[in-house]
Each structure stands twice: as structure tokens, then as C-alpha cells.
Amino acid sequence: MLFRAPPPEAPSSSAHTHHQLPGAQISHRHCALKNDPARSIPGQNRRNDIKQRRRNLKKCLHKATQVSAQHTNGTPKAGITGTDLKHLTRAAELADSSAGVSQPHPNSGCVLVHADGSVLSETYLTAQGTTSAEVQAVAAAQPQCSGSTAYLNLETGDCHGDSTSLSALIQAGVRRVVIGIRHPLAHCRGAAIQELRQHGLQVDVLGEAPCFESTGWEDSTLQKCFVANEALLHRAATQRPLSIFKYAMTMDGKIATSMGHSAWVSSPASRQQVFETRARSDAVIVGGQTVRLDNPRLTTRREGGHMPMRIVMSRTLDLQEEANLWDVSVAPTIVMTQRGARTDFQQKLRARGVEVVEFDFLTPHAVAAYCYDRGFLQCLWECGGTLAAPAIAAGVIHKTLAFIAPKLIGGVRAPSPVGELGNVEMTQALSIIEPHWQGIGQDMLLTGYLPASGGPEALDAALSGHHLQLAAQQSNGTSPSSSAPDLSPRGKDRRRSQSDSNKAVHFYKAWDEYGALSNFSCHPIRLSQEPMTDASTSQNCTDTDDWREWRSVEHYYQAQKFASTSGASANAAIIEMVAEAASPEEAARLGRRHQRLQPAAVRPDWDQAKLQVMLAALRVKFITHEGPRKLLLSTAGQGTAPGRLLQERSPSDFFWAKGHDGTGSNHLGRLLMQVREELLQQQVQVSPTPLPEMVGQT
């Protein structure tokens, strides 16, 4: 039984139009009565009305579940108990453990519980391209997994094209899987649930299966699962990273004095909260005015952990020659500007290691789109009011992080957090959705969502509706689009046409569609640590005495930069550091950093050898691992038809990828197509037996 989603909340003013969540048929968790007014009620009244609506619809939910949600053995779901909610809450807490330690990624945790109720293992995904929480949990609990229950805050889907996580649960004899939320990404949503049920496992999804505990407890658990992946929800639903607008102001609404002095408005405790939020973000974004007035560092003020990209937006590049942000030894910096602006200064910045990206017209929307293409999940906007206003008006900002200090500054010309929005009546004000107040030291912190978001629950509802629309189209024999609903403020302004998407396969992050094609996917390879050259490409390097297992293609590629071609390597320490990196992203960071700071350590033939190095690694990866091989071969043409064009979508890479303007060489895509043709010619049917060290990897 399906129900129609409620109409979304929308601003009352026509002066500033923001996107709206489309009404659609959605899952039981978001069942709603027609013309439900809940979305238009702000604050606490709105939340109370939603709770009342859920209570009224609980009978419908239970009836629909008994009719439609049955397992392979024909028995209905048993439902979710208080014990289930406790373990799901723990899984959501575990999922957040890597926040600030590694670059943001889908946060997944797993709690494996024995049939007698004892906890066997608790694990979480540490970074993109590392062993999944499910595989870790099974490995830690063997041989006691048979008949156990796995609790996942997020539906399995850490690498598209690889089913190792599901196979681990199935082969270990797990009897039941309880899931907090379905995966937000369209190519993963519902896929793991369906696969597990087809293998006879009982799968209960929070909010879809009957819950025998109070609605409040169920809602609280569901909210924790949403919060653990709110960035992923925003990326999937809005086709943009979660954009958080952070500012600190006095009680009278000032972010600085009339002279521009702002150190410090907020308390040390508030500033520490900002540092932690930076570490949880892919990028921190400021405008040129902030650089000129404050000369910030925009770092996390700590040793180790993830350091976000620092982005400066400046149309004219009217910036100082010396600034803290031009020092990239601590953290990378991108300067975004308009094409042709101060080309001499651009060259100086590039010479210092600063990345410069030119746009035909620099806008907050263009920057957000670029960050999305770069695979970012969360961006922290620490800009002033001049940049904040157009970002909010364009629907780029999704969430606020407002620190209010118990101070008064005064001053007619003292700046406020948000510049001119064009509102002339109070009825045009943008209402914060789900506002939450908390004390931070002497300050008060207000968090909440703007209409451009609506909050994680609203986004999940839109994704559920889109997923069911696709299912309906498939059942009717029509050809659905697999992309997520585009709720971005410029959704119709696509960066590539639908016809282009049908011709080409785009890949980048491991969790995105065709993610197993990425160098950052968790697929170990065996190759010699000796330098790869043209002469060695014909050798089977896995048969040499000097082979080692590399955790990913990226690990091997970065290490090869420093492999000596003249006997014993003087760079053994660098190679070992890269090889032992905990994740592919860490290996890439280390390799690029040493290449930039120690150019003499890079092998002299690297520019000529890197294509052969990559080709050798790709050959071993796709011969060794069945999942990626099947995914690659699925892009081949049928009969005499040509195979699909493969393109890496990294907007910053013009050698291996196509770059942000599409003019890049796309060498990685070309090599993958070469490997695809070699596999077709060889008609590879079965991968070699994996080594013991490689069993259990994803």
C-alpha cells in the first residue's frame, strides 16, 4: 500500500524562489495524508504534528507491511524491538567514528549480535577504499556468526560493482539484518536489501517494519541514522554537497566592528567546535574580502586527521601577494576566479602549489557544482555577508551553524552575517527548519536547515518517492532514469545532457555509480615493488620473488613514483610509507606531497613510465577481482556495437580524467577501455584463486 507524500514547505514570498521537494509515492516511513499541513508548520508545532501524523498512520503501516513485506520463506517480518533500536543507535554512533579522521565518506557502522543476545563485534568504515564494516564485523566474530543478527545504520553500498560485503554476511550464516536507513544513492538504494532477502535473510528496515516500541524512541533512532549520513543525503537528493553556513555574531547581530575587527566574537569553546566541523568537511569556502581582512589559515588546529581543502572565491583576484592560505604545506588551497583575471598572479599561485580554477562566470552555484563533481560531501562556508547573501538566494546553503555571543558591539556600519537579500516584508523571511539551540561555553549555538534542504528526513522522503517511481516505470516497461531527483536550484541546467550520459560511463568516487572502476576502490593487487618499465610490462610480476600486496591501485601507483631505476632505492622509506597508508586517499596524499616537496626523489622516467605503471596495475586488478571485472565488461558493446566510453570525472585532473571543462586527456578511461578489450579477447571466465591475505577484502 502506497501513499502520497505531503506538499513541501515553501517560502511565502515570490521574490526568492527555492526548489521544492516533489510530491511522490514514498515508503511507509513517510506515509502521509493528502494535503497534510505538517510541512507548513514551523518549529515545535511542525514536529508535534509530524509525530501525530505518524501515530495516526501506524495502523496503515502495519497493515501494508503484513501484506507486502514478506520474506523468501513466506513469513512476514517480525518487527523491530527495543533491543533492535539500541543496537541500531550504537551502529549510528560507530559510523561517525571516522568523522574528522579521514575525508568525508558514507558513514557505515555494523554491530553483530549473537543469537543469545551477546555482542560479537562492533566495526565501522574508516575511509573510502578500506575494508567495509560488514566484512570487518564478520572477520572479527568468526566462527560464531551463524544465526546472528547484523545491525547496519546504512544499507550496504560502500563500493558499486562489488558484492563482497553482502557475500560476507550471507556466507557467514547471518540470519537477520536490521537497517536504519536505505542507501541515499540511486544505484544502491534497495539493492542490498533485495539481494539479502533473495538469499533468505530476514531484513527489517527502520520505519518500514512494524516497531513495538514508542514512536519517540523509534523517531530518535531514525534521526540518529539520518544525522550520521546527512551529508550523503544532501548530495544524493540535491546533487550538491551539504553546504553549511557558519558564522559568529554578537547579540546585536554584528560579526565585526565598524573597522572590520573580529578577533574574537565567539568563545574558545565555540571556536573549537568550528575546528571540529572543518575536520568533518571536504572544503572550507571563503570570499576574497575575508582573505584581505582576516588573512585566515582555515585549518583544524591539530596534528593528524583530515585537513579540508581551502577554497577562495574571487572574481578579480584582487588579493595580497602574501597570505597564509598560499602556504600549502599544511593544507591544500584552491583559488576560484573568472577566466582571464590577473593571469600573472595566477601563475605565481600555481608556482607555490595553489590550484587555480577559472570559471566563465564565478557564482556560488558554479562553485557548489564544481565541489559536487569533485566528489565532496560537505562544504563549510565561512564567508562574510557579501558572499553569504547570493549563496543563500541561489539555494546553495542547506544548513546554518550560528554562534551567538553575549556581547554588544553596535555601529551602523558594523557588518552582519548576511548581506542584501531583497526582502522588504517580514513575511519574506526564510524560516529555519528544525531549529536546535545548545550552549557552547558562554555562547549559544543555533543549528537548523534552510528551505533549500528541508532537513534529512524530507530529503530521504524525496529519494524514497523517486525510487518507487523508478520501480513503477520498470514494472510498466518504460525506461527509467537511474539518476537521483535533482532538487538543486538549477536542476535543469545540467552539466551534461541525458544523451551524453547514455553514451558515456562516468566514474570517480568508489561509492558512486561504477565505483569499482576507481583507483580508490578497495581491491588489493599483487605486483613487484621494483620499478615498472616498458621492458617489464610483459612479465607476470606476480610470479617474481619481489612481489608484495598493495592495498589498492592507488597505493601501487603512488609508490611507483619513487621506485629507483638504478639499483637499490634511496626512497625506500617513502615507498614503505605509501604502501602502509591506511587508505587510498592517504596514499595519494602522501605520494603527491612528497612529489611536490621532494621533486628530486621522483624517478627520472616518471612522465614516460606512469602510463605503463597504471596499465599494469589495472590489468592485475581486473583479472584478480570478479566484481570489478564484471562491472567493466558490462560496459562493452553487444555484438558489433562499440563499447561505452569510459571517463573519469575528476574536475581537477586533466591528464587521467577529463577535467572540469571536458578538455582533459582521460588517460585512465582510455586504459580501462584497453583492459576491457583485452579481457574480451581473452574471454576471462573465472578469476584466479585469491591469496589468503586478500580474502575478506572489498
Side-chain angles (χ1 to χ4, degrees), residues 245 247 249 399-404 432 434-438 440 444-448:
F245 175 40
Y247 61 90
M249 70 177 187
K399 187 177 182 180
T400 61
L401 197 67
F403 297 90
I404 303 172
I432 299 300
E434 298 181 16
H436 176 71
W437 292 90
Q438 70 178 102
I440 303 289
M444 291 298 295
L445 171 61
L446 171 63
T447 58

Side-chain angles (χ1 to χ4, degrees), residues 151-189:
Y151 294 89
L152 312 175
N153 67 296
L154 176 69
E155 179 183 7
T156 301
D158 54 289
C159 182
H160 182 235
D162 188 284
S163 59
T164 310
S165 298
L166 295 178
S167 298
L169 296 175
I170 295 169
Q171 295 173 7
V174 173
R175 176 186 62 83
R176 178 175 177 241
V177 178
V178 183
I179 295 174
I181 61 173
R182 290 176 179 260
H183 205 290
L185 299 178
H187 58 276
C188 295
R189 195 171 185 86

Side-chain angles (χ1 to χ4, degrees), residues 302-347:
R302 65 181 186 181
E303 294 293 331
H306 171 63
M307 192 68 70
M309 190 79 68
R310 303 173 298 182
I311 296 178
V312 179
M313 293 178 58
S314 176
R315 290 178 177 174
T316 63
L317 278 188
D318 182 20
L319 303 171
Q320 60 265 44
E321 296 282 334
E322 295 297 328
N324 290 324
L325 293 179
W326 309 158
D327 179 8
V328 297
S329 62
V330 178
T333 300
I334 304 177
V335 171
M336 298 184 175
T337 187
Q338 293 199 168
R339 197 172 303 280
R342 290 189 66 188
T343 55
D344 56 337
F345 186 51
Q346 289 188 34
Q347 292 302 320

Side-chain angles (χ1 to χ4, degrees), residues 88 92 153 180-181 206 220-230:
L88 274 180
N153 67 296
I181 61 173
L206 185 61
S220 175
T221 305
L222 185 60
Q223 185 66 19
K224 288 181 172 65
C225 292
F226 281 141
V227 170
N229 278 288
E230 67 170 341

Side-chain angles (χ1 to χ4, degrees), residues 555 572-582 587 590 594:
H555 281 81
I574 299 177
I575 294 175
E576 193 64 24
M577 188 184 306
V578 171
E580 294 301 318
L590 290 171
H594 284 288

Side-chain angles (χ1 to χ4, degrees), residues 263-278:
W264 298 100
V265 172
S266 59
S267 66
S270 294
R271 297 198 295 276
Q272 183 60 40
Q273 181 82 9
V274 173
F275 299 151
E276 294 176 4
T277 306
R278 287 177 184 173

